[in-house]
Amino acid sequence: MNVSQDRTELKHGALTMSKNFGALIKTHRLALGQSLRVFCKENAIDAGNFSRLERGQYPPPQNRGKLEDYARALGLVDGSVDWFEFFDLAAAERGEIPHDLMSDAEIVEKLPVLFRTIRQKAMDDGKLDELVERIRRS
């Protein structure tokens, strides 16, 4: 996917979880129309570290506050689809379940069923989407 496609997808709210965290933050930064150096200078972010993060050389930060600072600098609105995608992808790349899900006892109780279901057989995207919907309704 090229940068032009990234911008189009961003404008249409169609960013997907198949994208890695670095590509996601770069897409959001480019959508702001800012070079790496300008973005980092305006937001008091170390340009070298942010560049490594964008290129996937560094994992997403574990510090929630740091992630929130990055999300806000990228113009993400707390509670929006883009906000959740940002935090979900950061957690997934670190091999974690997102904090907001882990803090919900009802969801945590259902996770083993989800894991067993996924392990039992390979699912195509349609079946996985159906499973997610069923979990949401339960």
Side-chain angles (χ1 to χ4, degrees):
M1 179 179 301
N2 64 38
V3 172
S4 175
Q5 287 172 315
D6 281 353
R7 286 183 183 161
T8 301
E9 287 188 12
L10 179 65
K11 288 177 186 173
H12 292 83
L15 288 173
T16 64
M17 290 295 289
S18 63
K19 185 178 279 254
N20 68 38
F21 184 78
L24 178 73
I25 63 173
K26 184 174 183 176
T27 298
H28 283 292
R29 177 182 57 77
L30 291 173
L32 295 173
Q34 294 184 327
S35 70
L36 176 69
R37 299 238 178 259
V38 168
F39 173 80
C40 290
K41 184 174 183 177
E42 287 184 3
N43 293 287
I45 296 171
D46 181 275
N49 288 339
F50 202 79
S51 173
R52 289 179 194 91
L53 190 59
E54 283 189 348
R55 290 179 285 137
Q57 293 179 334
Y58 280 174
Q62 288 186 312
N63 181 293
R64 174 83 182 188
K66 178 64 77 178
L67 282 171
E68 287 178 357
D69 290 346
Y70 288 166
R72 286 189 185 94
L74 292 165
L76 305 183
V77 177
D78 191 348
S80 69
V81 171
D82 287 338
W83 180 272
F84 284 113
E85 180 181 33
F86 176 87
F87 285 93
D88 291 349
L89 195 49
E93 282 202 18
R94 291 189 316 264
E96 300 172 357
I97 296 173
H99 174 72
D100 61 312
L101 297 179
M102 289 304 295
S103 64
D104 185 324
E106 193 174 335
I107 290 175
V108 171
E109 183 179 309
K110 294 175 183 177
L111 287 175
V113 174
L114 173 64
F115 298 150
R116 281 194 306 272
T117 303
I118 292 170
R119 281 187 190 110
Q120 284 177 0
K121 59 182 173 184
M123 288 189 207
D124 63 29
D125 287 342
K127 288 201 183 275
L128 187 56
D129 290 341
E130 285 176 37
L131 175 61
V132 168
E133 250 337 282
R134 288 167 81 194
I135 291 169
R136 282 186 180 143
R137 289 191 304 254
S138 65

